Amino acid sequence: MEEMEEELKCPVCGSFYREPIILPCSHNLCQACARNILVQTPESESPQSRRASGSGVSDYDYLDLDKMSLYSEADSGYGSYGGFASAPTTPCQKSPNGVRVFPPAMPPPAAHLSPALAPVPRNSCITCPQCHRSLILDDRGLRGFPKNRVLEGVIDRYQQSKAAALKCQLCEKAPKEATVMCEQCDVFYCDPCRLRCHPPRGPLAKHRLVPPAQGRVSRRLSPRKVSTCTDHELENHSMYCVQCKMPVCYQCLEEGKHSSHEVKALGAMWKLHKSQLSQALNGLSDRAKEAKEFLVQLRNMVQQIQENSVEFEACLVAQCDALIDALNRRKAQLLARVNKEHEHKLKVVRDQISHCTVKLRQTTGLMEYCLEVIKENDPSGFLQISDALIRRVHLTEDQWGKGTLTPRMTTDFDLSLDNSPLLQSIHQLDFVQMKASSPVPAAPILQLEECCTHNNSATLSWKQPPLSTVPAEGYILELDDGSGGQFREVYVGKETMCTVDGLHFNSTYNARVKAFNKTGVSQYSKTLVLQTSEGKALQQCPSERELRGI
């Protein structure tokens, strides 16, 4: 269950959720953390002013995306409200798990008030630290968000499984480990104290004794058995609104916004969503099983590469020694190339192992979390998070798609030393392909006449060399960041033309492409330099200033 721990931690504080609330985007936050990241917005963006102008009637008013400047992982690490004159640019903080959050824009609540009861400044806005979706709070403040009691129950069980043994509450000196708990007395007993203080006779014979772990869980879970409506705090959830995908009470149906919506029985929808989540988990479980088998295959490949490398080096040394002094200088160069090929293969396989291990750990954690959620007997609490979990399970299953569980590197060293040339040609000695039936394709050729830039986008075209006899299964196009930085993949596929959008204006990019097949990847093509336009203008025709082959 250790992989599930990340699912149980708040993206803001990095600790286990405390009194978690569910945002409309289905992500969770601690109630205290939600208050800490509130930001006050201008009066013109408040829900009241929007309703007065007739621009919207929803409970949650989302901010326009163009008014929020949220930088990606490659930027300077700062966030600001670009459209608000009253909100100065402030550096954002990073939580322990790496998610950027905004610092609190108002003083913390008084010590005697809980985060939910403390007054929230008018026109407050909250931004989800995971999906960066922003919304303006209504008059209810944080109380308008439902509490995730299912998540609280899962955290309690998880912490219970890792907690130390419970001690007897009646031992006078050194407390012994408790063996039972009486639900009626609410006391933990060791065996001697139970026989002495709680004999199984008389009125105590009807008391129910349970294991200590079960007793502590029942202690913690008992206050959260009642599920109340967020709009009508005195009413329990009784139905499920199909349109809004949330549990509702009977007052919501009679006088609230759900009066004209389709509703279904809470228990029936609870069972239906549990069944859907279980079915989705079956597919994800198969993917996880395949991933485990794939990891075993990759680890075996590491050993195979090691063995093949040793064997290949021994053969190479033997052949080079046969050529005596004339081959000694060349022998060192060939050994260096073999070692480089060896390290390259190991690096590719180990990188794939690392990537697959991380993805498998995340998948396993999500599976364990979902299984724990399925154990919950609270229909309304389950239905609050079931849709989001089902989507996450399907999305995670799609990530294990075609090609993910395929090795990127072969274990064979497809090189052989040709020792047939005469001694006077020894300076031309080089490796040749061992398996002529499966060589790598030749490096593609960029077609300058078809490459061009248009505003902040670039179109590139390439082809295989005319005399190439090795077919390519696909191509990998790489671009740098426009500042001479590292190259990154922007396209992988079978097409020989690609348009890259979203580039920076007035920037110089370097582009290159390589081909690949089952054997491996080719060398890179010549690097092409592209210059984007200074602003929105007509299409740029390729010229010596904009397209230069290196």
Side-chain angles (χ1 to χ4, degrees):
M1 295 179 64
E2 292 183 359
E3 289 88 348
M4 185 178 62
E5 186 167 314
E6 290 302 320
E7 295 281 343
L8 310 180
K9 290 185 177 181
C10 174
V12 177
C13 63
S15 303
F16 287 111
Y17 286 103
R18 295 181 296 275
E19 298 183 353
I21 60 176
I22 307 175
L23 300 180
C25 58
S26 300
H27 292 129
N28 300 286
L29 283 178
C30 296
Q31 204 167 59
C33 296
R35 181 176 181 84
N36 287 340
I37 63 174
L38 288 178
V39 176
Q40 193 167 3
T41 63
E43 182 70 23
S44 60
E45 298 295 335
S46 66
Q48 293 82 358
S49 63
R50 288 192 176 188
R51 293 190 183 98
S53 61
S55 59
V57 294
S58 63
D59 284 344
Y60 299 105
D61 295 84
Y62 286 96
L63 296 175
D64 295 332
L65 293 180
D66 59 352
K67 294 184 178 179
M68 175 68 76
S69 177
L70 293 172
Y71 293 89
S72 64
E73 296 179 357
D75 62 18
S76 60
Y78 289 86
S80 65
Y81 283 99
F84 299 154
S86 61
T89 301
T90 55
C92 64
Q93 301 170 341
K94 270 195 175 183
S95 68
N97 60 0
V99 179
R100 293 189 179 92
V101 299
F102 286 94
M106 66 285 293
H112 64 281
L113 295 176
S114 68
L117 299 178
V120 175
R122 189 178 180 185
N123 305 337
S124 294
C125 164
I126 188 170
T127 300
C128 176
Q130 292 182 283
C131 65
H132 304 310
R133 195 174 185 183
S134 302
L135 60 95
I136 299 176
L137 274 61
D138 59 13
D139 294 335
R140 296 173 296 172
L142 296 179
R143 291 177 300 175
F145 299 121
K147 294 182 179 180
N148 194 337
R149 291 176 292 103
V150 173
L151 179 57
E152 284 186 289
V154 174
I155 292 175
D156 280 336
R157 289 200 299 270
Y158 179 78
Q159 291 178 325
Q160 183 69 33
S161 66
K162 303 184 69 175
L166 291 168
K167 301 296 182 181
C168 175
Q169 294 177 278
L170 298 181
C171 291
E172 295 182 357
K173 294 184 179 180
K176 298 181 181 179
E177 183 176 341
T179 56
V180 295
M181 174 200 171
C182 177
E183 289 188 337
Q184 286 70 31
C185 302
D186 198 21
V187 176
F188 293 94
Y189 299 95
C190 64
D191 287 335
C193 292
R194 176 178 59 84
L195 295 175
R196 185 177 69 254
C197 305
H198 201 288
R201 59 182 179 273
L204 298 179
K206 297 182 179 180
H207 287 198
R208 183 169 181 260
L209 302 179
V210 297
Q214 180 181 345
R216 180 154 65 180
V217 171
S218 63
R219 266 184 177 182
R220 296 186 177 184
L221 294 182
S222 56
R224 290 193 293 269
K225 291 183 179 178
V226 179
S227 173
T228 59
C229 179
T230 55
D231 294 323
H232 311 94
E233 297 181 354
L234 299 180
E235 301 296 334
N236 296 338
H237 290 144
S238 58
M239 299 295 288
Y240 179 80
C241 178
V242 178
Q243 181 174 341
C244 300
K245 297 183 178 180
M246 61 182 295
V248 295
C249 68
Y250 82 96
Q251 286 193 14
C252 293
L253 303 180
E254 291 182 354
E255 58 189 41
K257 65 177 183 178
H258 305 278
S259 58
S260 61
H261 294 177
E262 178 186 0
V263 295
K264 292 187 178 181
L266 198 64
M269 293 302 296
W270 172 47
K271 293 180 181 179
L272 175 62
H273 282 227
K274 271 199 173 185
S275 175
Q276 291 176 351
L277 181 57
S278 299
Q279 293 176 2
L281 279 177
N282 290 335
L284 187 60
S285 177
D286 294 338
R287 291 294 185 179
K289 182 179 179 181
E290 294 176 6
K292 291 179 180 178
E293 297 174 353
F294 180 61
L295 282 175
V296 173
Q297 178 185 355
L298 291 178
R299 294 188 178 101
N300 292 337
M301 287 181 63
V302 172
Q303 180 65 25
Q304 189 73 29
I305 291 175
Q306 295 280 15
E307 295 174 358
N308 289 350
S309 174
V310 173
E311 178 183 354
F312 191 81
E313 288 182 14
C315 178
L316 179 62
V317 170
Q319 288 180 328
C320 289
D321 288 344
L323 299 177
I324 315 175
D325 296 337
L327 297 179
N328 285 337
R329 292 186 299 271
R330 191 64 174 172
K331 179 176 64 176
Q333 300 176 7
L334 298 176
L335 281 173
R337 289 186 57 184
V338 172
N339 288 330
K340 183 178 180 181
E341 179 74 8
H342 167 217
E343 294 299 329
H344 172 67
K345 287 179 177 288
L346 288 179
K347 182 179 182 302
V348 172
V349 176
R350 284 169 176 166
D351 289 347
Q352 195 171 9
I353 289 176
S354 175
H355 175 73
C356 189
T357 301
V358 171
K359 184 178 289 186
L360 177 61
R361 181 167 61 250
Q362 295 172 348
T363 300
T364 306
L366 178 59
M367 290 171 54
E368 292 179 354
Y369 173 60
C370 292
L371 291 175
E372 290 298 324
V373 170
I374 291 177
K375 296 178 183 178
E376 286 295 318
N377 295 323
D378 181 0
S380 61
F382 178 85
L383 292 173
Q384 287 175 335
I385 64 174
S386 58
D387 283 306
L389 283 179
I390 293 171
R391 290 195 301 270
R392 288 187 60 191
V393 168
H394 285 305
L395 179 61
T396 305
E397 181 181 0
D398 293 340
Q399 291 176 352
W400 291 101
K402 183 178 179 182
T404 307
L405 303 181
T406 303
R408 300 176 183 173
M409 184 60 65
T410 62
T411 60
D412 297 329
F413 284 76
D414 301 331
L415 300 171
S416 178
L417 189 65
D418 182 9
N419 56 1
S420 59
L422 299 175
L423 291 178
Q424 60 267 28
S425 303
I426 200 168
H427 66 280
Q428 299 177 350
L429 189 64
D430 201 349
F431 287 110
V432 295
Q433 296 290 342
M434 179 185 301
K435 297 180 180 180
S437 58
S438 58
V440 297
I445 299 175
L446 286 167
Q447 302 186 82
L448 300 182
E449 65 277 5
E450 297 185 14
C451 298
C452 65
T453 60
H454 177 240
N455 291 337
N456 63 334
S457 64
T459 300
L460 297 101
S461 177
W462 58 88
K463 64 179 181 180
Q464 282 291 96
L467 301 179
S468 176
T469 59
V470 181
E473 296 182 1
Y475 302 91
I476 301 174
L477 176 63
E478 296 182 357
L479 251 69
D480 65 1
D481 58 2
S483 302
Q486 293 184 348
F487 282 87
R488 56 187 176 88
E489 294 182 3
V490 296
Y491 171 77
V492 178
K494 298 181 179 181
E495 301 297 329
T496 58
M497 178 175 289
C498 176
T499 299
V500 183
D501 298 317
L503 303 178
H504 295 291
F505 286 101
N506 195 24
S507 299
T508 301
Y509 288 89
N510 294 309
R512 63 186 184 184
V513 65
K514 59 183 178 181
F516 65 87
N517 58 13
K518 293 182 179 179
T519 304
V521 296
S522 71
Q523 298 292 326
Y524 284 104
S525 66
K526 292 184 178 180
T527 302
L528 184 67
V529 180
L530 304 103
Q531 175 69 42
T532 56
S533 60
E534 296 181 357
K536 295 183 179 180
L538 298 176
Q539 180 172 351
Q540 304 285 327
C541 297
S543 63
E544 294 182 357
R545 294 181 57 192
E546 295 174 344
L547 302 176
R548 301 192 298 273
I550 297 179

